[in-house]
Amino acid sequence: MPSGSHWTANSSKIITWLLEQPGKEEKRKTMAKVNRARSTSPPDGGWGWMIVAGCFLVTICTRAVTRCISIFFVEFQTYFTQDYAQTAWIHSIVDCVTMLCAPLGSVVSNHLSCQVGIMLGGLLASTGLILSSFATSLKHLYLTLGVLTGLGFALCYSPAIAMVGKYFSRRKALAYGIAMSGSGIGTFILAPVVQLLIEQFSWRGALLILGGFVLNLCVCGALMRPITLKDDHTTPEQNHVCRTQKEDIKRVSPYSSLTKEWAQTCLCCCLQQEYSFLLMSDFVVLAVSILFMAYGCSPLFVYLVPYALSVGVSHQQAAFLMSILGVIDIIGNITFGWLTDRRCLKNYQYVCYLFAVGMDGLCYLCLPMLQSLPLLVPFSCTFGYFDGAYVTLIPVVTTEIVGTTSLSSALGVVYFLHAVPYLVSPPIAGWLVDTTGSYTAAFLLCGFSMIFSSVLLGFARLLKRMRKTQLQFIAKESDPKLQLWTNGSVAYSVARELDQKHGEPVATAVPGYSLT
């Protein structure tokens, strides 16, 4: 009779032998089952509301603080004795860098974690603001307040927004509405606070205090608990090559050429999988429409007050128009998100986005005819509401096109596309004002740009639906027993009869037909 220790040793060898026998294929299947067991569906609540709160604070510390930088404009211009154009570049650089480096924030959050990315961004942004308080020239502010702070904001903004999409499915639009309302609420609260800080501690002290306030981004990053969704896993075949090479690398020197080759191959594979949505026709159309939409939405926030002053509105009343715009923007964020989450509008969120962008374009076209305060107040209410509405639905529409797996990378690209229009549209509008002597041409160009953005997306969706209907008609005409369904860009026909042996539908590809 074997002893206990002898039996334990033998049993461990037997278990090890049994695990090694099935081979790599069985191990792959086992790991796939474990991954599926660990995955989950969006909770639509619970810790998700903490994610919303964290994203709300991120939008305050990034977008609201960026808007409040314009409050320092007069202080910078007076202290450094520079002209309007050179001083205005500070705000343009920080806004442009935030959007231009948004894909970098997605890459960092995908390869490290969302928590690490946001915390690192908070440290960079805070460092930029603190160093700006010691600036001795505008060039120093370009580098610290513009580039460094903008880079920090970029690492925080898109990953935080993507996390909301992973925690919510049924109430996604409402969650995004609450999270992104931080931009309007933060501006409404921070603007008078920043002005008070400048009066009490000068612009240097105000920037130093803002640097400490932005450190709260690190706290927001700590709230971003990662979650693994069911559709976040790539297929085993996609990772098989990289996994096999990784096992081989362990047997060789870490400094060999094989190590470098494996690193390059895996990096290319990961980037190819993360940004495969760039080849989707739907996303390409969305990207083009985003360019026109971003061009149209930016100039109003720069030229609404000068336009109001040019038609005889007082300074206080012109500032009141901007306050109305900000407050109604918040209402649009939350209420439009809540409305589009209702059952009657749940399936029409894409159409609601097109409607909101188109309405802002129509508001632009009407603006040159509004030349008094009683007419400009309804304009500010209407434009502000629909501006908040479509901003809320941008992540929702992006999710509908690319899915939750690629959402972080896709949002990085979407916000990246905002950068160039944000940078060039205000100067172009100003050139039109100087050339024509009125704001009419500038506002009409912005209005037609936003309307074209809406029409382009609507036409693409209509064309896709017509093509799908045509494929269904062709499939039914060729065989009435076949029912057409689609998967991506490939059309399949599924027989209504079940296979007698297995009891499963039989699917075959329809040759010669494609949705793209």
Side-chain angles (χ1 to χ4, degrees):
M1 190 75 181
S3 62
S5 60
H6 180 70
W7 172 256
T8 303
N10 288 338
S11 62
S12 62
K13 291 180 180 179
I14 293 172
I15 293 174
T16 304
W17 180 81
L18 289 174
L19 290 174
E20 292 177 350
Q21 287 304 307
K24 295 181 179 179
E25 186 67 21
E26 292 298 328
K27 291 180 180 179
R28 179 179 63 79
K29 293 180 179 179
T30 302
M31 291 304 298
K33 291 179 180 179
V34 171
N35 287 334
R36 285 195 296 269
R38 290 178 179 176
S39 63
T40 182
S41 300
D44 269 307
W47 190 259
W49 293 116
M50 295 301 297
I51 301 296
V52 171
C55 186
F56 177 84
L57 293 175
V58 167
T59 55
I60 290 178
C61 293
T62 55
R63 303 310 300 155
V65 170
T66 299
R67 291 182 179 182
C68 289
I69 289 176
S70 60
I71 299 175
F72 292 89
F73 184 88
V74 176
E75 301 296 328
F76 292 154
Q77 191 176 21
T78 303
Y79 185 86
F80 296 108
T81 62
Q82 297 292 335
D83 58 14
Y84 183 95
Q86 290 181 334
T87 310
W89 274 106
I90 298 174
H91 186 275
S92 296
I93 290 174
V94 65
D95 216 355
C96 182
V97 171
T98 300
M99 297 303 177
L100 201 64
C101 297
L104 179 61
S106 300
V107 170
V108 171
S109 65
N110 289 340
H111 289 274
L112 297 178
S113 72
C114 183
Q115 294 173 319
V116 173
I118 295 178
M119 289 181 178
L120 178 61
L123 290 175
L124 287 176
S126 177
T127 302
L129 286 166
I130 292 174
L131 291 178
S132 298
S133 65
F134 300 99
T136 57
S137 68
L138 282 183
K139 292 181 180 179
H140 293 166
L141 290 175
Y142 293 160
L143 181 62
T144 56
L145 188 57
V147 177
L148 192 58
T149 302
L151 178 61
F153 288 165
L155 294 179
C156 301
Y157 191 54
S158 57
I161 294 174
M163 282 297 293
V164 176
K166 290 191 173 186
Y167 270 84
F168 287 87
S169 176
R170 185 169 51 88
R171 291 180 284 187
K172 182 177 294 184
L174 174 61
Y176 273 126
I178 297 173
M180 302 190 75
S181 66
S183 177
I185 295 176
T187 304
F188 184 75
I189 297 174
L190 281 180
V193 172
V194 169
Q195 184 61 47
L196 180 63
L197 291 175
I198 293 174
E199 294 173 359
Q200 295 293 325
F201 305 104
S202 79
W203 64 269
R204 295 185 184 274
L207 285 175
L208 191 64
I209 294 173
L210 273 183
F213 173 74
V214 167
L215 272 176
N216 284 295
L217 286 170
C218 297
V219 179
C220 300
L223 294 176
M224 300 296 169
R225 180 188 298 172
I227 184 173
T228 303
L229 300 178
K230 291 181 178 179
D231 56 349
D232 278 349
H233 301 289
T234 56
T235 60
E237 290 79 6
Q238 291 175 323
N239 297 326
H240 180 66
V241 175
C242 289
R243 186 170 56 251
T244 303
Q245 291 182 359
K246 189 173 182 179
E247 293 175 356
D248 294 337
I249 290 301
K250 295 178 181 179
R251 306 189 189 99
V252 298
S253 171
Y255 301 101
S256 66
S257 59
L258 186 59
T259 305
K260 298 178 180 179
E261 181 182 354
W262 171 81
Q264 294 175 356
T265 303
C266 283
L267 180 61
C268 293
C269 289
C270 292
L271 291 177
Q272 185 177 3
Q273 292 176 11
E274 288 177 15
Y275 292 95
S276 59
F277 59 85
L278 292 174
L279 301 178
M280 297 171 57
S281 59
D282 288 348
F283 186 82
V284 172
V285 175
L286 176 65
V288 175
S289 70
I290 287 290
L291 289 174
F292 286 95
M293 182 272 294
Y295 177 89
C297 70
S298 180
L300 183 78
F301 295 95
V302 179
Y303 294 106
L304 178 60
V305 172
Y307 172 73
L309 294 175
S310 69
V311 297
V313 177
S314 67
H315 285 80
Q316 291 182 347
Q317 291 173 337
F320 178 65
L321 290 175
M322 286 300 295
S323 299
I324 293 176
L325 198 66
V327 172
I328 300 300
D329 186 278
I330 302 168
I331 298 175
N333 283 140
I334 299 175
T335 60
F336 208 76
W338 179 82
L339 286 173
T340 52
D341 267 340
R342 299 305 92 197
R343 184 174 300 177
C344 57
L345 295 176
K346 184 72 173 179
N347 296 327
Y348 300 99
Q349 291 176 334
Y350 196 96
V351 178
C352 292
Y353 170 79
L354 301 181
F355 176 74
V357 175
M359 284 299 298
D360 268 358
L362 290 176
C363 289
Y364 259 123
L365 300 184
C366 297
L367 183 55
M369 298 180 289
L370 310 178
Q371 299 186 0
S372 63
L373 182 65
L375 295 176
L376 288 173
V377 169
F379 165 82
S380 295
C381 293
T382 306
F383 188 93
Y385 183 83
F386 287 109
D387 180 75
Y390 77 74
V391 167
T392 296
L393 292 180
I394 286 177
V396 178
V397 172
T398 306
T399 306
E400 183 179 336
I401 293 176
V402 305
T404 56
T405 304
S406 304
L407 179 59
S408 179
S409 301
L411 283 177
V413 174
V414 166
Y415 292 124
F416 168 82
L417 295 172
H418 284 69
V420 175
Y422 278 4
L423 187 65
V424 302
S425 58
I428 291 176
W431 176 79
L432 289 173
V433 173
D434 293 336
T435 303
T436 62
S438 70
Y439 291 87
T440 302
F443 290 153
L444 290 181
L445 181 59
C446 293
F448 284 122
S449 179
M450 298 194 75
I451 291 175
F452 178 77
S453 172
S454 178
V455 171
L456 179 64
L457 276 180
F459 179 75
R461 174 56 66 95
L462 181 63
L463 186 63
K464 182 178 180 181
R465 183 163 297 180
M466 290 173 59
R467 191 173 297 178
K468 182 178 179 180
T469 305
Q470 183 182 9
L471 289 174
Q472 291 176 343
F473 177 76
I474 293 173
K476 290 180 181 179
E477 195 175 53
S478 60
D479 189 348
K481 296 180 179 180
L482 295 180
Q483 182 179 2
L484 191 75
W485 60 282
T486 60
N487 181 15
S489 60
V490 182
Y492 294 87
S493 57
V494 183
R496 292 180 181 176
E497 292 89 354
L498 297 179
D499 181 61
Q500 297 298 328
K501 183 177 180 180
H502 301 289
E504 296 178 351
V506 180
T508 57
V510 179
Y513 299 109
S514 176
L515 289 177
T516 57

